[in-house]
Amino acid sequence: MKDIGIGLLGLGVVGSGVAGVLLNKTDKLAEQAGIPLVLKKVLVRDVNKQRLDCFASLAMTDRAEEVITNPEVDIVIEVIGGEHPALEYIKQAITTGKHVVTANKEVIAKYGYELLSLAQKYNVGLRYEASVGSGIPLISPFQQDLAANDISAIYAILNGTTNYILTQMSQEGLDFPLALRQAQELGYAEANPVNDIEGIDAAYKLAILSSLAFHTAVNPKNIYCEGISRLQAKDFKYAKEFGYAIKLLAIAKRDGEAIELRVHPVFIPEDSQLAKVNGVYNAVQVEGNLAGKLVFYGQGAGALPASSAIIADVLTIARNISYRISNAPKIQLNQKLTVKPISDIKIRYYFRLNVLDRPGVLAQISKVLGDNSVSISSVIQKESDLKSQTAVLVIMTHPAEEKAVQKALEEIKQLTVVNEVSNFIRVEG
Ligand code: NAP
Ligand code: HSE
């Protein structure tokens, strides 16, 4: 072979970063791979769209087969995103005998096992380091460096857009829509930002990581998922008063033959490492029986961090081709574990209630909690409105079962002295 041909599907935020590295770092990449890497063809949706001047020399097409079945292409990089047609393109590339590198967490979370099996059958590589944590090395460490460990837990900030939004809301007092717009302008958000805001993007990433950590095929549909849209400025204020930060965490915990899998906003102690992860940064805290506690930290979104992971995957495949080592993936998903329903978890809770400000109200609320075996750790009456004779009540509980808490909240909503259960947030640590 005189070179390794690269076909690029997508020239958006990430594709532009990847193309830039392939065009500007040719000597360094050839040295690393042991053979030149040449970008042969690029798929875009609209060939007439204005592109950066530096891409004027690129051979672009809007016909996928000109890239995927191109005889000059050895490695297909998929960065168009979304489920379809990305899934079909990846399958077509594998069955045509091309190695594939993708940043697509949705496709890998939903179809990873199927695609890895297909790649094994066709003896080609399928690598996806950029799909979780972007530039933070996570897939390789889980597959290789932590292989001797029994992993007991993962606590992770896996979505740069929401972490950026929460940081802006907490530190700058920005409203949610403005913070989201900024994240979109900076290229962090998905084409459909609902996936970021509602925790779906983080759930896809947690499915990928927990499959690797627990050697079991995790279906993202089995991950309990809540987003950040119901958080309000008041919650950040009260969290601070109690010594907590609010983060959107992706959590996986092993408990015997069961695993807890959940993505939701959570109070975490403000002096914890994850509480100090701000802006677009991601962090993944892993607990292994041999390595102990590890924290992986870095930029979880943006063109260059994603390119770093994608080019590393390309180099691994290219080196294996150079040295005639098989790129076929090894699949180790042989553990049969059940996913614990959210109703069975036991954790502390924060409630914010709007209630009538009169004698006996607290007694009625604490009776409902007590009757449901939910024990109160502290109660603070935050604000009273003399005119409407209402008050804001903030309650922190001791660890309690989720199903008991949900039942108690339903009963509290029915009390005539309660105007509103304004929010409830789980508390970790
Ligand atoms: P993007 O900016 O929306 O770019 C998508 C690119 O794919 C565009 O060039 C678009 O063409 C092309 N495309 C989309 N649908 C197509 C279709 N049906 N046929 C042909 N071309 C199509 O997306 P992105 O932010 O780069 O994200 C790409 C992938 O990387 C996603 O899976 C994402 O989850 C993942 N990722 C993103 C980041 C990040 O920070 N953005 C980080 C890590 C991983 P046009 O240019 O003609 O519109
Ligand atoms: N939209 C994703 C995020 C991009 O904000 O984390 C990286 O996967």
Side-chain angles (χ1 to χ4, degrees), residues 346-406:
K346 203 169 178 190
I347 195 169
R348 297 176 67 208
Y349 293 82
Y350 148 100
F351 309 138
R352 174 162 59 84
L353 314 176
N354 185 289
V355 300
L356 297 186
D357 194 9
R358 65 160 92 124
V361 171
L362 193 53
Q364 288 189 48
I365 293 169
S366 51
K367 179 169 184 324
V368 173
L369 291 172
D371 288 349
N372 284 287
S373 308
V374 180
S375 169
I376 294 173
S377 120
S378 59
V379 181
I380 306 176
Q381 182 168 320
K382 295 306 305 180
E383 297 154 34
S384 296
D385 181 347
L386 288 178
K387 205 164 139 213
S388 63
Q389 295 198 310
T390 60
V392 172
L393 213 58
V394 174
I395 299 176
M396 293 286 268
T397 74
H398 286 297
E401 263 203 354
E402 173 94 12
K403 55 175 157 306
V405 168
Q406 293 300 345

Side-chain angles (χ1 to χ4, degrees), residues 9-17 42-51 60-64 78-82 84-86 89 102-107 129-135 161 186-192 196 201 205 280 299-307 310:
L9 306 179
L11 192 65
V13 174
V14 177
S16 298
V42 181
L43 174 75
V44 290
R45 197 168 17 204
D46 177 4
V47 283
N48 297 315
K49 196 163 158 179
Q50 182 75 30
R51 309 277 167 184
M60 276 187 238
T61 176
D62 56 6
R63 291 164 52 85
E78 184 279 309
V79 281
I80 62 176
H84 304 290
Y89 290 170
T102 178
N104 195 322
K105 68 227 79 173
E106 181 169 1
V107 163
E129 185 59 69
S131 64
V132 185
S134 213
T161 302
L186 290 163
Y188 304 149
E190 296 298 303
N192 176 4
D196 294 302
D201 176 83
K205 293 168 179 169
V280 74
Q299 289 180 66
L304 296 182
S307 306
I310 289 168

